[in-house]
Amino acid sequence: MKEILLAELKRQLGRYVSGEELSQRLGVTRTAVWKQIQALREEGYGIEALPRLGYRLLVAPDLLLPAEIQGGLATSVLGRKVYHYRETDSTNRLARELGSRGEPEGTLVVAERQQAGRGRLDRKWFSPAGGIWLSLLLRPQLFPHQAQLLTLVAAVAAVEATEAVSGLVPGIKWPNDLLLAGSKLAGILTEVSAEIDLVHYLVLGVGVNANIPADAFPAELRETATSMLAVLGQPVNRAAWVRQFLQYFEKHYLVVGSSGFDDLLARWRRYSVTLGHEVTVYLPGRQVSGTAIDIDDHGALQVRTEAGIETFPAGEIRLRDKGDR
Ligand code: BT5
């Protein structure tokens, strides 16, 4: 009901809507309307209330609140349930907890900041206010070795969402980085709970430097990280980014489920800044250099080295001819 009330106030943005009209539209008492107005105010919505005139929405908070994400969201499964935190340790950790408790596919966890945001191999992920820190709970019908492919789905959907809200088209560096002019805009962390031949659930964590000023990055990231704000000079609508991401992701997820990964892999190749380039692949105990030639049907990277073609299902790469740091 709060969502409908908010939608109504937004539809009539800047105008007064009487308590009577709202109570009729929502089919509840005027006291119930007042209670929901109070709840919205507590979330940070600026709502004026005047006797005889009614209610008027003045400002919506710049937060990733469920009502902001779900208003106009055109998905059937993803993001139908949203958990929002002003601050948490890690949205991936929370989503894993929800996964083990049996929460449904598509459940979304978003946070304004994370105190213990994580990258791969337990690396730290810098997660201040202004970014988009989200985790999506999925229950795909896939074998565990196919989970990597969903990282590629997320990367493609993140590029498309970024283009939709900012006009910027990041490149994808295999397997999980989005780059703008060579600097890292976003990263993806996929975690799987599985047995040998069965995925119980999968958590897809995406971190995007949306509205983070360039000088807010700590010294060790200043040379390698970037944000949409830093490139555009103006902030983007973060809730709109999340909505676009969920919509693109769901679209690809459904196609993948019914017809396989061919279309998705073709899109990934189009956005790739890895294929065709000289790379060094870092593996435990050794490193291999060569030309990245393609990704295979499982999302593994194929590299032509002096010894022939080698395939890497996972790993860390450096783009040598792009001055990658
Ligand atoms: C990643 O790891 O790129 C995956 C990042 C996933 C973060 C999301 S946020 C929501 C969800 N909840 C979580 O706890 N995590 C996920 P990796 O490829 O390992 O890259 C990590 C490296 O990127 C670090 O060692 C730093 O060098 C760098 N880094 C850290 N924070 C960054 C930032 N905000 N922007 C760009 N680079 C960053």
Side-chain angles (χ1 to χ4, degrees):
M1 161 174 154
K2 202 166 67 188
E3 282 70 32
I4 305 173
L5 176 61
L6 183 60
E8 194 55 30
L9 291 174
K10 280 191 172 172
R11 203 172 62 80
Q12 312 216 29
L13 193 66
R15 293 217 308 269
Y16 291 99
V17 192
S18 73
E20 185 59 39
E21 183 181 336
L22 289 170
S23 81
Q24 274 174 13
R25 264 184 197 277
L26 274 70
V28 298
T29 64
R30 290 173 62 167
T31 315
V33 169
W34 167 249
K35 278 198 184 135
Q36 293 304 320
I37 294 277
Q38 289 306 97
L40 285 170
R41 280 173 160 172
E42 269 160 32
E43 286 181 2
Y45 289 90
I47 302 173
E48 191 182 25
L50 287 180
R52 288 194 303 278
L53 286 172
Y55 303 105
R56 182 164 72 135
L57 179 62
L58 300 173
V59 274
D62 179 22
L63 295 174
L64 297 173
L65 295 168
E68 294 297 310
I69 292 169
Q70 291 174 326
L73 177 66
T75 57
S76 51
V77 177
L78 304 190
R80 299 328 303 182
K81 197 161 179 186
V82 178
Y83 290 88
H84 172 259
Y85 296 84
R86 286 183 190 239
E87 185 145 344
T88 185
D89 53 349
S90 155
T91 56
N92 260 42
R93 192 197 59 74
L94 287 168
R96 284 204 319 267
E97 205 173 288
L98 295 172
S100 65
R101 275 203 254 136
E103 288 270 331
E105 164 145 287
T107 300
L108 179 72
V109 182
V110 281
E112 304 297 333
R113 350 157 153 242
Q114 299 180 117
Q115 297 129 344
R118 285 185 311 106
R120 295 179 300 159
L121 308 173
D122 240 4
R123 288 188 279 234
K124 288 200 177 111
W125 183 257
F126 174 63
S127 320
I132 299 166
W133 322 123
L134 68 80
S135 299
L136 197 53
L137 174 64
L138 299 172
R139 299 186 180 280
Q141 307 281 316
L142 290 176
F143 291 113
H145 69 273
Q146 295 176 302
Q148 157 96 330
L149 285 164
L150 291 183
T151 304
L152 307 188
V153 177
V156 167
V159 169
E160 292 168 333
T162 303
E163 182 173 18
V165 302
S166 72
L168 300 168
V169 186
I172 304 174
K173 176 181 153 193
W174 183 88
N176 69 332
D177 288 357
L178 261 56
L179 305 183
L180 276 177
S183 296
K184 186 153 167 172
L185 175 74
I188 300 167
L189 173 66
T190 307
E191 296 184 283
V192 191
S193 164
E195 288 164 38
I196 296 277
D197 56 359
L198 174 76
V199 173
H200 296 299
Y201 63 83
L202 184 146
V203 168
L204 231 156
V206 185
V208 190
N209 302 324
N211 301 332
I212 299 176
D215 59 7
F217 286 105
E220 70 271 19
L221 293 179
R222 217 159 281 166
E223 299 287 304
T224 56
T226 190
S227 70
M228 287 191 243
L229 174 63
V231 175
L232 289 173
Q234 60 185 51
V236 296
N237 184 331
R238 293 180 308 137
W241 191 97
V242 176
R243 239 184 343 264
Q244 292 288 343
F245 174 75
L246 294 173
Q247 287 168 190
Y248 281 117
F249 192 99
E250 184 169 292
K251 196 176 94 186
H252 298 314
Y253 191 52
L254 292 176
V255 171
V256 162
S258 61
S259 347
F261 283 90
D262 288 356
D263 173 66
L264 193 277
L265 291 174
R267 282 171 199 271
W268 190 95
R269 289 185 181 103
R270 206 158 59 229
Y271 294 130
S272 156
V273 289
T274 303
L275 303 183
H277 293 279
E278 294 302 306
V279 300
T280 300
V281 186
Y282 293 82
L283 303 158
R286 75 179 181 123
Q287 59 191 61
V288 180
S289 293
T291 311
I293 51 173
D294 203 356
I295 45 169
D296 71 11
D297 289 351
H298 296 111
L301 187 67
Q302 297 172 326
V303 178
R304 184 184 299 118
T305 68
E306 281 173 359
I309 293 173
E310 282 199 61
T311 302
F312 303 99
E316 191 81 30
I317 62 163
R318 211 160 266 209
L319 301 170
R320 289 192 292 150
D321 48 0
K322 293 229 165 160
D324 191 17
R325 290 159 291 224

